Amino acid sequence: MAIWKRKRKNSLRLAGYNYSQPGGYFITVCTEDREHLFGEVCDGKMIENQYGQIIRECWKGLPNHYPNVELDEFVVMPNHIHGIVFVVNDLVGAIHESPLPRDRRKMLLSKIVGRFKMSAAKQINILRHTPGLSVWQRGFYDHIIRDERSLSRIREYITTNPERWKYDHENNARIAEDEFDRWLSSFLKDRSIVKKEKPE
């Protein structure tokens, strides 16, 4: 069973936190029903299929639409992605570069991930001839990166994810839990720092 459980009614966003302010965020987005859409892990390496390649390109393209965003470590897994996003200043732009109203600035992170999900799903569904079919689980999971130690640990978690796939909570065939997943479980117990976007 995955660490995170779907919740459609209660928001897990950090109350009062300005998501447009400079800072780093650890993002996880899962496929609908944890379906293995993006490839497979072989001998500790992720082999991306054409859908996985679309995912990577859509993620890489985010700074083209949000110039105040920088991307860090990122990995595509069979049924989810992990990535680090940095908001480098508070100049918030919408998809078409028009300024957002002040009361919507806190939703920058949701807009970034929402654009990524929408763009990737559209391209994938064109290839599989299924317009409108869900690719992603509703919402996403994020953690505010508060210090360099956490940043280093999260980077390591992301880069080692393929070689640790047999221990991954998102893998229905996982064989056990390792130290990294115990760390992640404790890392997410503080619900004040685990958040989920509003229903799409």
Side-chain angles (χ1 to χ4, degrees):
M1 178 180 290
I3 299 173
W4 305 286
K5 297 180 179 178
R6 295 178 66 176
K7 293 182 182 293
R8 297 183 181 272
K9 295 183 179 180
N10 298 325
S11 173
L12 297 181
R13 308 206 65 75
L14 181 59
Y17 189 83
N18 182 353
Y19 281 82
S20 68
Q21 74 180 26
Y25 306 92
F26 172 35
I27 307 295
T28 298
V29 190
C30 299
T31 59
E32 181 74 9
D33 298 323
R34 302 302 199 273
E35 182 180 358
H36 289 203
L37 283 179
F38 306 144
E40 59 182 336
V41 176
C42 297
D43 297 325
K45 294 183 179 181
M46 177 62 191
I47 310 300
E48 297 171 11
N49 59 21
Q50 59 183 341
Y51 303 153
Q53 292 167 8
I54 287 172
I55 297 301
R56 182 171 295 278
E57 290 305 310
C58 288
W59 184 264
K60 285 169 56 179
L62 285 172
N64 295 331
H65 305 280
Y66 300 94
N68 57 318
V69 164
E70 293 181 357
L71 305 178
D72 198 88
E73 294 292 350
F74 175 74
V75 67
V76 179
M77 296 298 289
N79 61 359
H80 66 281
I81 65 100
H82 293 301
I84 296 173
V85 173
F86 286 103
V87 177
V88 296
N89 58 50
D90 59 2
L91 300 177
V92 180
I95 289 176
H96 299 295
E97 298 183 356
S98 58
L100 290 175
R102 183 180 300 273
D103 63 352
R104 294 179 62 196
R105 289 187 176 188
K106 291 190 290 186
M107 299 309 296
L108 173 60
L109 197 64
S110 288
K111 287 191 168 292
I112 292 168
V113 178
R115 182 184 179 89
F116 161 72
K117 292 171 67 176
M118 177 184 67
S119 178
K122 181 178 180 179
Q123 294 183 51
I124 288 172
N125 282 336
I126 288 174
L127 284 180
R128 60 181 184 174
H129 307 291
T130 53
L133 186 66
S134 294
V135 170
W136 301 107
Q137 173 184 286
R138 183 175 298 191
F140 67 99
Y141 307 95
D142 68 274
H143 171 77
I144 301 165
I145 302 173
R146 301 181 183 276
D147 53 47
E148 288 291 335
R149 182 178 179 182
S150 291
L151 175 59
S152 177
R153 188 70 160 160
I154 292 165
R155 282 172 170 163
E156 186 180 1
Y157 180 85
I158 292 173
T159 58
T160 62
N161 213 194
E163 62 192 74
R164 298 177 41 265
W165 175 236
K166 61 185 177 181
Y167 303 116
D168 197 308
H169 281 265
E170 304 299 344
N171 181 1
N172 290 332
R174 76 186 184 106
I175 62 172
E177 183 178 66
D178 69 354
E179 186 274 334
F180 244 134
D181 278 297
R182 285 191 292 273
W183 165 78
L184 186 63
S185 296
S186 64
F187 182 70
L188 296 174
K189 281 181 180 177
D190 182 354
R191 290 170 62 88
S192 69
I193 58 174
V194 183
K195 301 148 302 293
K196 185 175 180 179
E197 70 181 348
K198 293 180 179 179
E200 299 166 338

